[in-house]
């Protein structure tokens, strides 16, 4: 049995014993033999304690990574839960198909993408991953194998999409792909000077393009507060060529202290902003570096040192988004805590089928902080209060600190998911948020 599995944020540091699952037929026996309560664990890309079992023993689903069937005429793909999104893209892109929703890493598993109902840079067009999930093979400890979809076991389907892996073990799933004509992306990049400019750019460009996202210099203050770089993109037309960037870099060990700190970030952020074009710049790039730039650096989470990092990700409704985001950025700037990875993008009004899905129509902001700075002590309570007042909510898949009262207020269907939770399954996050 493998020891020492951690979340991607490596905080809290609660290493998990892994009970590997190699075959779908082994899931029920693994559920029976595992220490209780256990939890499905994919490729370890969840950031907080949502991938930790209270017993300390998880079902490691990554080895169950096979394609089952594909219909290349209508773009329907069926695969085991342990396969990664990057592996799916590697198979389907040469055949003219793409995942309709792609999160910031291709190293998340299919099961993890469904359990956390991930979103991408095109939520305003395609919604969440669950919107394109056709059916789920779910194995529970207290019943036979179930097929869940919008028409079959529909209540369990809604609880499983975005259900944080609590309703059973996702063994396999069928998803709907979308057609493309090239592996290349046509991008438009432009820097902006202040937060108001992001909202203007987003309003003008999001509706005209499939994808839109912005990087923000969260350490900038005064007149520069909220400045950043906006990137819109579309899948390129037929015959467009772009060579993928080679995965050549790695962080070979964990340094004793965080290399992402105030000194390095104050040097990086202004340089990154100044190097971006002041006017629209159009380019062609391969899909991999556009969607997954950080995947090009293996084990980049080690840069945060032995204590790891936390991400604060919230969504605020349109009516309060501009003032609320400005208040959050002001609080971060005043705190002096460093972050080079701050992402801002819009959510559309497409409703997810999942009861606990994170997106609502509005704007989402994600900021990474080194745990060495202990952001949950002084900064996070301030940010939590801003989000709560603005009628927003935090993202459970990225969370390691959310107050239980905030979660229960923002996700009123949590009691329904609790009623449908598999009795042999639980997570440290769920215990923290629902006790």
């Amino acid at each position: 049995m493998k020891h020492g599995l951690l979340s991607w944020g490596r905080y809290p540091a609660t290493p998990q014993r892994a009970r590997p699952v190699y075959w779908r037929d082994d899931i029920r026996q693994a559920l029976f033999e595992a220490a209780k309560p256990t939890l499905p664990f994919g490729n370890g890309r969840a950031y907080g304690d949502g991938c930790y079992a209270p017993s300390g023993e998880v079902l490691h689903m990554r080895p169950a990574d096979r394609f089952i069937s594909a219909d290349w005429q209508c773009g329907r793909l069926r695969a085991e839960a342990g396969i990664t999104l990057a592996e799916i893209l590697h198979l389907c892109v040469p055949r003219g198909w793409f995942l309709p929703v792609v999160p910031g890493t291709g190293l998340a598993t299919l099961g993890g993408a469904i359990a956390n109902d991930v979103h991408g840079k095109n939520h305003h067009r395609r919604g969440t991953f669950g919107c394109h999930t056709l059916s789920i093979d779910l194995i529970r400890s207290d019943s036979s194998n179930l097929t869940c979809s919008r028409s079959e076991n529909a209540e369990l389907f809604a609880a499983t999409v975005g259900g944080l892996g609590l309703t059973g073990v996702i063994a396999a799933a069928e998803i709907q792909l979308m057609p493309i004509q090239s592996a290349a992306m046509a991008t438009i990049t432009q820097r902006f000077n202040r937060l108001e400019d992001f909202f203007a750019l987003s309003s003008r460009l999001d509706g005209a393009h499939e994808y839109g996202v912005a990087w923000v210099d969260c350490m900038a203050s005064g007149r520069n507060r909220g400045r950043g770089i906006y990137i819109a993109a579309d899948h390129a037309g037929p015959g467009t060529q772009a060579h993928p960037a080679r995965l050549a870099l790695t962080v070979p060990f964990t340094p004793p202290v965080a290399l992402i700190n105030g000194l390095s970030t104050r040097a990086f952020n202004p340089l990154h902003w100044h190097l971006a074009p002041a006017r629209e710049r159009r380019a062609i790039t391969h899909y991999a570096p556009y969607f997954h730039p950080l995947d090009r650096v293996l084990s980049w989470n080690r840069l945060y040192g032995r204590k790891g990092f936390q991400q604060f990700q919230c969504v605020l409704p349109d009516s309060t988004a501009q003032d609320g985001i400005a208040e959050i950025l002001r609080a971060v700037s005043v705190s002096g805590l460093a972050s080079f990875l701050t992402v801002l993008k819009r959510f559309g009004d497409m409703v997810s089928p999942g009861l606990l899905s994170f997106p609502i129509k509005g704007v989402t902001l994600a900021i990474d902080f080194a745990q060495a700075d202990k952001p949950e002590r002084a900064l996070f309570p301030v940010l939590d209060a801003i989000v709560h007042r603005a009628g927003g909510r935090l993202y459970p898949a990225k969370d390691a600190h959310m107050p239980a009262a905030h979660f229960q207020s923002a996700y009123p269907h949590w009691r329904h998911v609790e009623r449908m939770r598999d009795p042999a399954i639980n997570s440290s996050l769920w215990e923290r948020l629902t006790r």
Side-chain angles (χ1 to χ4, degrees), residues 388 391-393 402-414 433:
H388 191 61
R393 57 192 185 188
M402 190 190 324
H406 286 201
F407 171 77
Q408 294 173 24
S409 172
Y411 294 90
H413 296 298
W414 74 269
L433 295 180

Side-chain angles (χ1 to χ4, degrees), residues 159-324:
T160 301
V161 173
L164 306 172
L166 298 168
T167 61
V169 179
I170 299 173
E174 184 177 26
I175 57 176
Q176 178 64 55
L177 304 172
M178 72 176 188
I180 57 170
Q181 298 175 313
S182 167
M185 305 296 298
T187 65
I188 300 173
T189 303
Q190 181 179 350
R191 78 186 187 205
F192 53 90
N193 297 318
R194 56 189 62 85
L195 184 63
E196 293 83 349
D197 296 339
F198 161 79
F199 282 89
L201 280 170
S202 178
S203 296
R204 178 167 63 87
L205 294 176
D206 279 358
H209 299 280
E210 177 74 24
Y211 304 98
V213 67
W215 169 87
V216 175
D217 180 2
C218 74
M219 300 186 71
S221 59
R223 295 176 57 188
N224 294 326
R225 182 175 290 121
R227 70 181 179 183
I229 304 167
Y230 183 89
I231 306 176
D234 297 283
H235 293 280
T240 308
Q241 298 294 321
H243 296 290
R246 295 187 179 276
L247 191 64
L249 301 176
T250 187
V251 181
F253 63 92
T254 302
V257 297
L259 299 183
I260 297 176
N261 51 46
L263 185 63
S264 61
T265 304
R266 286 185 180 87
F268 171 83
N269 283 13
L271 178 63
H272 185 52
W273 184 82
H274 281 289
L275 290 176
R279 298 182 179 180
E280 286 188 3
R281 181 178 65 195
R282 297 175 181 266
I284 299 294
T285 184
H286 191 267
Y287 74 83
Y290 174 73
F291 287 104
H292 307 134
L294 290 179
D295 286 353
R296 296 165 59 186
V297 183
L298 297 177
S299 301
W300 61 262
N301 57 339
R302 293 174 176 171
L303 294 172
Y304 285 95
R306 294 172 183 169
K307 294 183 179 180
F309 72 98
Q310 289 194 64
Q311 183 175 104
F312 182 94
Q313 181 164 7
C314 67
V315 57
L316 304 185
D318 280 333
S319 59
T320 60
Q322 186 161 333
D323 290 342

Side-chain angles (χ1 to χ4, degrees), residues 318-342:
D318 280 333
S319 59
T320 60
Q322 186 161 333
D323 290 342
I325 297 296
E327 193 175 356
I328 289 172
L329 291 177
R330 188 179 303 111
V332 172
S333 177
V334 169
S335 77
L337 298 191
S339 176
F340 87 95
L341 189 60
T342 303

Side-chain angles (χ1 to χ4, degrees), residues 19-242:
R19 183 175 292 275
V21 176
Y22 296 98
W23 303 96
R24 281 171 285 158
D25 291 344
D26 296 339
I27 293 175
R28 182 167 300 283
Q29 185 66 24
L31 261 175
F32 176 76
E33 294 177 350
K36 306 295 188 301
T38 187
L39 186 72
F41 187 105
N43 201 29
R45 257 54 190 183
Y47 279 36
D49 55 354
C51 59
Y52 292 157
S55 67
E57 183 172 313
V58 294
L59 305 184
H60 195 198
M61 300 300 297
R62 178 68 178 109
D65 62 350
R66 300 164 189 85
F67 292 103
I68 300 172
S69 64
D71 183 339
W72 299 119
Q73 297 300 311
C74 62
R76 289 190 173 189
L77 181 71
R78 182 173 163 78
E80 293 180 332
I83 202 161
T84 67
L85 303 185
E87 290 166 342
I88 292 175
L89 291 172
H90 184 74
L91 175 76
C92 68
V93 168
R95 293 165 172 83
W97 296 95
F98 205 79
L99 287 168
V101 174
V102 179
T105 177
L107 300 177
T109 61
L110 175 60
I114 295 170
N116 294 285
D117 198 16
V118 298
H119 55 270
K121 301 175 178 70
N122 61 343
H123 186 275
H124 60 288
R125 289 279 185 94
R126 310 282 174 174
T128 63
F129 201 91
C131 295
H132 310 276
T133 300
L134 302 177
S135 67
I136 300 168
D137 293 355
L138 191 70
I139 298 178
R140 290 174 59 92
S141 63
D142 57 350
S143 67
S144 59
N145 300 4
L146 298 171
T147 299
C148 303
S149 69
R150 290 166 180 81
S151 59
E152 186 176 2
N153 296 305
E155 189 178 21
L156 195 53
F157 178 82
T160 301
V161 173
L164 306 172
L166 298 168
T167 61
V169 179
I170 299 173
E174 184 177 26
I175 57 176
Q176 178 64 55
L177 304 172
M178 72 176 188
I180 57 170
Q181 298 175 313
S182 167
M185 305 296 298
T187 65
I188 300 173
T189 303
Q190 181 179 350
R191 78 186 187 205
F192 53 90
N193 297 318
R194 56 189 62 85
L195 184 63
E196 293 83 349
D197 296 339
F198 161 79
F199 282 89
L201 280 170
S202 178
S203 296
R204 178 167 63 87
L205 294 176
D206 279 358
H209 299 280
E210 177 74 24
Y211 304 98
V213 67
W215 169 87
V216 175
D217 180 2
C218 74
M219 300 186 71
S221 59
R223 295 176 57 188
N224 294 326
R225 182 175 290 121
R227 70 181 179 183
I229 304 167
Y230 183 89
I231 306 176
D234 297 283
H235 293 280
T240 308
Q241 298 294 321

